[in-house]
Amino acid sequence: MNRQISPELLKSFITIADEGSFQRAASRIGRTQSAVSMQIKRLEDMLGHKLFTRERPNVRLTPKGEILLSYARRFLELQDEVWEVLAEPKAQGTVRFGIPDDYASGLLPRILEAFAESEPQIQVAVHCATTVQLMEMIDAGDLDLALISRRDGSSLGQLIQEEQLVWASSPKHAVHLKDPIPLAVFQEDCMIRQSATDNLINTGRRLRIAYSSPNLAALLAVTSSGLAIAALPQSSVPQTLRILTQNDGFPKLPSVEIALIKNTSKPSKAIEALSASITNLNTPA
């Protein structure tokens, strides 16, 4: 008699018990319902006992199934503990990570959520600044990694993704019809600001810089109040704002490239782990 029970069989068994359904369990673990049924049949044959009663639309554990469930959970918990204790230790430490404020609301939550799940023991110290400032901090050794904006065709850093720029306005106001158009823009060295003003001027529209700030929250507040329109990364535009198009008399803005740059003077496993997590953020599974 084979007295070795596969962890995969126990995982399927526990999932069915938790879900109360073969179909839902199969969907959760990514197998077909027939494959899951065969696993349980195999487990029942090995133990010589029925583990579930089939009561449509759900299934219930038999008394023997209830006994197995507690042991199965303990077995898999012990298996996880063994890996935690004996497997190669994961990277630890702190990574100093920089990101432009205009990308923080759109990209930063995704980056930190994915990284915290895979590397919970690594602390990330986040610094928001302009692209120019972040590059200077990398060169000075004050940051380990940074995401920056770069122009199309630039070879600076490693390309992570392209970000579409859009015009954002309050849906409750007609500020986009004013002449000259009041703009809320980032600081003078900002690539997005330069692109917005150049494209608007090329259409023959008059504009005035009504508000400027390196802080995205400040620009969103001004725009939401109907005091100006703003050119922003699309991922940073909340649903409460309206995106203006060519039908509204505004030119389509280009996209900007977001690249990852790295301080190579002090490499570490923690830095490489965050770098890999960011690089793989948009890679299809």
Side-chain angles (χ1 to χ4, degrees):
M1 176 180 176
N2 184 3
R3 299 174 64 91
Q4 294 183 345
I5 301 176
S6 165
E8 283 70 27
L9 293 182
L10 294 180
K11 288 178 183 178
S12 295
F13 167 73
I14 292 172
T15 304
I16 296 169
D18 289 343
E19 294 290 338
S21 164
F22 277 73
Q23 183 177 3
R24 291 194 296 269
S27 176
R28 180 173 159 186
I29 63 180
R31 289 177 174 267
T32 63
Q33 184 174 343
S34 60
V36 171
S37 296
M38 290 177 62
Q39 284 184 311
I40 298 306
K41 178 65 167 58
R42 180 182 171 193
L43 187 57
E44 290 176 332
D45 290 344
M46 292 174 64
L47 297 174
H49 296 284
K50 288 291 184 181
L51 301 174
F52 292 100
T53 59
R54 276 67 169 177
E55 299 177 358
R56 294 185 179 275
N58 297 322
V59 297
R60 295 177 58 188
L61 287 167
T62 64
K64 295 295 185 181
E66 293 281 1
I67 295 173
L68 176 61
L69 182 61
S70 62
Y71 282 105
R73 292 193 194 281
R74 287 168 55 190
F75 175 83
L76 294 182
E77 288 171 358
L78 286 172
Q79 186 183 57
D80 290 340
E81 288 182 20
V82 169
W83 280 106
E84 287 292 332
V85 173
L86 299 181
E88 181 179 353
K90 293 185 177 181
Q92 297 183 354
T94 299
V95 181
R96 301 166 300 170
F97 173 62
I99 186 171
D101 186 72
D102 37 322
Y103 299 135
S105 63
L107 283 178
L108 190 57
R110 292 170 53 207
I111 291 172
L112 297 183
E113 182 179 359
F115 190 61
E117 184 175 346
S118 62
E119 302 287 349
Q121 71 291 336
I122 298 178
Q123 178 184 348
V124 182
V126 179
H127 302 265
C128 290
T130 68
T131 287
V132 172
Q133 291 170 334
L134 293 174
M135 293 172 62
E136 292 174 347
M137 293 175 74
I138 287 286
D139 290 340
D142 296 327
L143 286 179
D144 302 308
L145 295 171
L147 286 177
I148 61 167
S149 299
R150 74 179 192 185
R151 298 190 183 278
D152 186 23
S154 172
S155 60
L156 181 63
Q158 180 181 0
L159 177 64
I160 299 301
Q161 71 178 56
E162 290 190 1
E163 180 77 13
Q164 180 64 48
L165 301 181
V166 296
W167 299 102
S169 178
S170 166
K172 301 178 182 179
H173 303 82
V175 64
H176 64 290
L177 299 179
K178 291 186 177 182
D179 184 26
I181 299 168
L183 292 183
V185 295
F186 291 106
Q187 67 290 337
E188 290 187 2
D189 62 355
C190 177
M191 187 184 306
I192 296 177
R193 170 174 173 161
Q194 190 63 50
S195 179
T197 55
D198 288 348
N199 277 271
L200 205 54
I201 291 173
N202 289 339
T203 65
R205 302 290 297 272
R206 296 197 306 160
L207 62 92
R208 67 181 180 89
I209 305 298
Y211 302 91
S212 65
S213 173
N215 185 269
L216 175 64
L219 298 190
L220 290 177
V222 168
T223 306
S224 298
S225 300
L227 301 175
I229 67 168
L232 301 170
Q234 188 166 3
S235 65
S236 300
V237 179
Q239 294 182 351
T240 53
L241 292 182
R242 172 190 175 190
I243 293 179
L244 302 172
T245 67
Q246 291 172 300
N247 292 333
D248 300 301
F250 286 81
K252 181 178 180 180
L253 291 170
S255 60
V256 295
E257 294 183 343
I258 302 175
L260 180 67
I261 58 175
K262 185 184 305 185
N263 177 3
T264 58
S265 62
K266 295 182 179 179
S268 73
K269 289 185 177 181
I271 295 172
E272 290 305 318
L274 180 56
S275 176
S277 180
I278 295 172
T279 302
N280 295 331
L281 195 62
N282 296 310
T283 301

